[in-house]
Amino acid sequence: MSKLYGGLSELKSGGMDFNDVLAYYSEMPISAFICKTGKIKKKEGSNMARIRNQANLDLRQFTPEALKKIKSISRVANVILPENMSPEFAEVYAGIKKSMIANEMVIPSGACIHNGSSIITKSDVTENSLIICNGLTVIKDIPESMKIRLIVNGCLIKSKDAFVEILEHNGSMLEIDTVVKIINNKSEIKVDKNFLDNIGEKTALVSCARVIIDNSVTDVMLKNKKLQFIACALICANEELHGYIHANSVDVANVMTLEQAKKKYKRKFRW
């Protein structure tokens, strides 16, 4: 069995709990995982499509004729509909069998959609934009004059200099100081004395698969740097540091000693 489905198989059989599966898939980009597991199935002998298991189904560019080829929609987090749908479009869409749809959203054609881990600043958006983010989202340095609207499904990290109108948010949120530096590393990062000497105060480690904190690091060192941990799958550190980590983290799946992690994840990580 490929690695793609190994974690899901272990979850089904009881070999892993949910946090284990999160750690297992932590090195795989969220958007890639969604694309590979999202399926459009066709019933044998039929031209009608059954759409299921997708994070987003964007129907804004569909014509009523194309829409007629969809028989059913199920297990979809967000169905995105055009802002000014025609009566024919609305009638065809109403006739599609639907189940387990979390949200139906009417979105302008120019709306921008981000999947996975996203860091968005004023250089990434245009005025009066609507931005839809699915996954970890960091918003920094957006002036109020740009009039940005935001829909987020997942963890939202917002700096105090980001002026956005949050229309909808499903997940945790953390507001950070404007000066906080974001280090985004989807694989492994090691925190030792040399690392701490080379970062400024108020740094956040974001969306790391593994953070390994060296035994030479003390809680005083971490406090002096005001280090934060956000949406990390696994943090390995001495037990003396666990209190600081828990107090300065958001959406961290597992905190344990390196020895415990090696024993628990020996099949899934190369240490």
Side-chain angles (χ1 to χ4, degrees):
M1 181 178 293
S2 69
K3 179 178 179 180
L4 177 62
Y5 298 106
L8 298 179
S9 177
E10 288 286 333
L11 179 64
K12 183 178 180 180
S13 66
M16 291 191 225
D17 61 23
F18 187 69
N19 285 333
D20 289 342
V21 174
L22 287 179
Y24 180 88
Y25 285 115
S26 60
E27 294 184 357
M28 187 178 298
I30 293 176
S31 56
F33 181 69
I34 289 171
C35 290
K36 290 180 180 178
T37 57
K39 298 178 182 178
I40 298 179
K41 293 189 175 180
K42 290 186 177 181
K43 189 175 180 180
E44 187 176 352
S46 172
N47 291 323
M48 300 290 285
R50 300 171 183 267
I51 300 178
R52 60 180 302 175
N53 298 337
Q54 292 190 194
N56 296 290
L57 175 60
D58 192 344
L59 299 178
R60 289 177 296 173
Q61 304 302 320
F62 276 57
T63 63
E65 290 71 26
L67 207 61
K68 289 177 182 178
K69 296 181 180 180
I70 300 175
K71 182 175 183 178
S72 64
I73 301 171
S74 64
R75 299 180 182 273
V76 174
N78 296 297
V79 176
I80 302 170
L81 301 169
E83 187 175 27
N84 298 307
M85 69 181 75
S86 66
E88 185 182 3
F89 183 102
E91 182 180 356
V92 176
Y93 179 72
I96 297 174
K97 185 184 297 184
K98 309 176 192 70
S99 63
M100 300 183 72
I101 294 175
N103 291 298
E104 291 179 315
M105 299 183 292
V106 177
I107 303 292
S109 58
C112 184
I113 300 176
H114 295 265
N115 293 314
S117 177
S118 305
I119 299 178
I120 300 171
T121 67
K122 63 184 178 184
S123 61
D124 303 307
V125 296
T126 57
E127 290 187 3
N128 301 305
S129 292
L130 173 62
I131 303 173
I132 303 169
C133 297
N134 299 296
L136 174 71
T137 304
V138 180
I139 303 287
K140 293 188 70 177
D141 187 25
I142 297 181
E144 189 173 7
S145 60
M146 295 192 76
K147 297 180 180 178
I148 302 300
R149 294 168 296 157
L150 190 66
I151 296 173
V152 176
N153 296 299
C155 178
L156 172 61
I157 305 163
K158 177 184 171 298
S159 71
K160 293 179 180 178
D161 63 353
F163 295 91
V164 295
E165 181 184 359
I166 301 174
L167 301 180
E168 185 177 339
H169 177 221
N170 301 300
S172 58
M173 185 172 87
L174 174 68
E175 186 170 86
I176 59 175
D177 290 340
T178 301
V179 296
V180 169
K181 179 182 178 182
I182 299 293
I183 296 178
N184 179 238
N185 188 326
K186 293 182 180 180
S187 55
E188 180 180 292
I189 192 165
K190 185 173 182 179
V191 177
D192 55 17
K193 185 178 183 301
N194 184 55
F195 176 88
L196 294 173
D197 287 342
N198 285 280
I199 63 171
E201 288 188 7
K202 297 183 179 179
T203 296
L205 303 183
V206 175
S207 191
C208 301
R210 282 186 299 186
V211 178
I212 298 179
I213 302 180
D214 190 77
N215 291 339
S216 63
V217 174
T218 66
D219 60 346
V220 174
M221 293 179 184
L222 298 180
K223 289 175 183 176
N224 288 340
K225 291 297 182 177
K226 298 181 175 64
L227 194 62
Q228 293 178 298
F229 308 90
I230 301 171
C232 298
L234 173 64
I235 299 178
C236 300
N238 286 335
E239 291 185 356
E240 293 78 9
L241 303 180
H242 289 190
Y244 176 90
I245 294 169
H246 285 301
N248 293 275
S249 63
V250 176
D251 278 1
V252 170
N254 289 289
V255 180
M256 58 186 69
T257 66
L258 184 59
E259 292 72 22
Q260 290 170 333
K262 285 181 177 180
K263 183 177 180 180
K264 186 171 184 178
Y265 299 112
K266 59 183 177 181
R267 292 184 300 164
K268 295 174 281 298
F269 291 129
R270 292 182 180 178
W271 297 93

